[in-house]
Amino acid sequence: MKKIYTLLSILLLTILLAACGTDNVNESADPETPTENIEEPNQPEEETEKPEETTQAEGETENSPLPIEELEGTQTESETQNYKITVIEGFELTAEEPNKDLLFNQENDQQSMRIETFSKDDATIDGITKNLIDTLEASNDNGTLEEITDQNQIPTNESIENMNAYQIDTPDGKVIGYTFERDGLLVKLTVFDTTEAQAVQDFVKMAATIQAK
């Protein structure tokens, strides 16, 4: 009987000790505290400055029109027509027939330019251009008429309008024709040039100076 009491006492003591240990563990444990997610306020996006767009590329400059180079020569008036022209050294202007003048190279008379002028009351640019084309084609029945697009081969002046330029090859060289209008004066030119030592550039420069008296 005494042993039974002893066993019960030991068992009861064990239970009490176990209960006390559990409470101590629970009390020592830190309670979990919920963590709040703090949202940071949105920061405004920094504005980035865009470089100003330039309408002109770097290194580009505005091109001003080049002045027309004044041709050195003698200003000569036609004896039979209402125009004047600057004739450079080595060339001569003469009347070929009524309303037709001939400007020729004094060193080679096979190089020449026939000059015909008309009033707008007496002719039209379309009419004299058609006549020019017929003249060029008649110079070589087997040749092919070509339109001139090279600006270096065309008389140029600020007041020249309605320019037409053609050429055709012949056995002796080129025959070149121009029609244009300048300050109310209609001009028709027929240039005869040789294959060697061509003079067309000189005729083009002088043709650009033709104007009414």
Side-chain angles (χ1 to χ4, degrees):
M1 190 69 176
K2 188 176 181 179
K3 289 181 180 181
I4 293 173
Y5 284 121
T6 301
L7 291 173
L8 290 174
S9 298
I10 293 171
L11 180 60
L12 182 60
L13 182 60
T14 301
I15 293 171
L16 290 174
L17 290 174
C20 291
T22 303
D23 291 339
N24 290 335
V25 172
N26 292 335
E27 289 177 0
S28 62
D30 293 331
E32 293 183 1
T33 57
T35 58
E36 296 182 359
N37 293 329
I38 301 175
E39 295 183 358
E40 295 182 359
N42 293 331
Q43 296 181 353
E45 295 182 358
E46 295 183 0
E47 295 183 359
T48 57
E49 295 184 358
K50 296 182 179 179
E52 294 182 359
E53 295 182 358
T54 57
T55 57
Q56 190 170 331
E58 293 183 6
E60 183 181 352
T61 58
E62 294 183 0
N63 293 326
S64 56
L66 295 175
I68 297 175
E69 183 179 353
E70 186 175 352
L71 186 65
E72 293 184 2
T74 303
Q75 190 173 80
T76 306
E77 293 187 357
S78 170
E79 295 178 357
T80 61
Q81 301 184 70
N82 182 33
Y83 77 90
K84 55 186 177 181
I85 182 174
T86 299
V87 179
I88 64 177
E89 185 178 356
F91 290 82
E92 183 179 344
L93 180 68
T94 183
E96 184 180 27
E97 56 184 87
N99 297 322
K100 289 184 182 181
D101 292 341
L102 192 68
L103 179 64
F104 64 92
N105 185 353
Q106 292 174 333
E107 295 183 357
N108 185 356
D109 58 7
Q110 291 184 346
Q111 297 175 333
S112 62
M113 179 170 70
R114 181 181 295 134
I115 304 173
E116 302 172 68
T117 61
F118 309 87
S119 167
K120 293 182 71 173
D121 296 332
D122 300 329
T124 64
I125 190 68
D126 292 337
I128 65 173
T129 301
K130 183 181 183 306
N131 181 265
L132 172 70
I133 291 174
D134 292 341
T135 301
L136 295 179
E137 290 178 337
S139 65
N140 186 2
D141 294 335
N142 298 321
T144 301
L145 187 69
E146 298 177 353
E147 185 175 2
I148 300 174
T149 57
D150 184 357
Q151 295 301 312
N152 294 322
Q153 302 291 327
I154 298 175
T156 303
N157 190 287
E158 291 179 351
S159 56
I160 288 179
E161 300 175 319
N162 299 321
M163 170 62 68
N164 301 279
Y166 301 93
Q167 65 182 7
I168 191 169
D169 289 325
T170 70
D172 298 326
K174 286 184 180 293
V175 180
I176 306 163
Y178 305 99
T179 60
F180 59 85
E181 178 182 348
R182 182 174 184 184
D183 298 330
L185 184 70
L186 301 181
V187 181
K188 174 190 171 187
L189 306 175
T190 309
V191 178
F192 301 91
D193 201 8
T194 56
T195 303
E196 298 180 357
Q198 297 179 356
V200 63
Q201 287 289 344
D202 291 329
F203 288 122
V204 166
K205 292 176 183 178
M206 290 185 284
T209 68
I210 295 175
Q211 57 184 313
K213 293 180 182 178

